[in-house]
Amino acid sequence: MKQGLARIRAPALVLWGEWDAVFPALYAKRIRKLLSNAELNVIEGGHFLPLDAPRVAGEEIAEFIRRAGTGTSAPGRLARRFRPATSS
């Protein structure tokens, strides 16, 4: 796993639950170190953030995509694709 993660250069978000009893935040920090272009956000919640903290997890993911949306990376293309239409 270490070698595979170290090869990833794309922007990445490591989103982790603060109270994850299965995988403590120590694992998140290790994963973040292996990904050269990643950020780590530890949020209030447990192991399965989509159920434990859906609003906050969704906001964190959406913000990550917005920030990455200025480039030609995959998150940037995704952000442009789902950017809300502006009214004139």
Side-chain angles (χ1 to χ4, degrees):
M1 180 170 106
K2 289 181 183 180
Q3 293 170 347
L5 288 176
R7 289 194 308 253
I8 295 172
R9 301 284 183 244
L13 173 64
V14 179
L15 192 59
W16 215 266
E18 182 178 18
W19 307 311
D20 189 332
V22 179
F23 297 107
L26 170 67
Y27 290 97
K29 293 172 185 172
R30 289 179 182 172
I31 290 170
R32 164 56 192 99
K33 279 180 137 180
L34 292 170
L35 294 167
S36 64
N37 193 15
E39 61 185 74
L40 168 61
N41 291 348
V42 178
I43 64 172
E44 200 171 303
H47 179 67
F48 195 62
L49 290 176
L51 288 179
D52 293 341
R55 183 186 57 77
V56 176
E59 289 171 355
E60 291 289 334
I61 293 166
E63 179 57 29
F64 172 75
I65 291 171
R66 275 193 289 278
R67 283 194 314 274
T70 58
T72 58
S73 64
R77 292 189 304 272
L78 183 65
R80 285 191 299 282
R81 181 175 177 193
F82 292 101
R83 185 168 290 138
T86 57
S87 56
S88 306

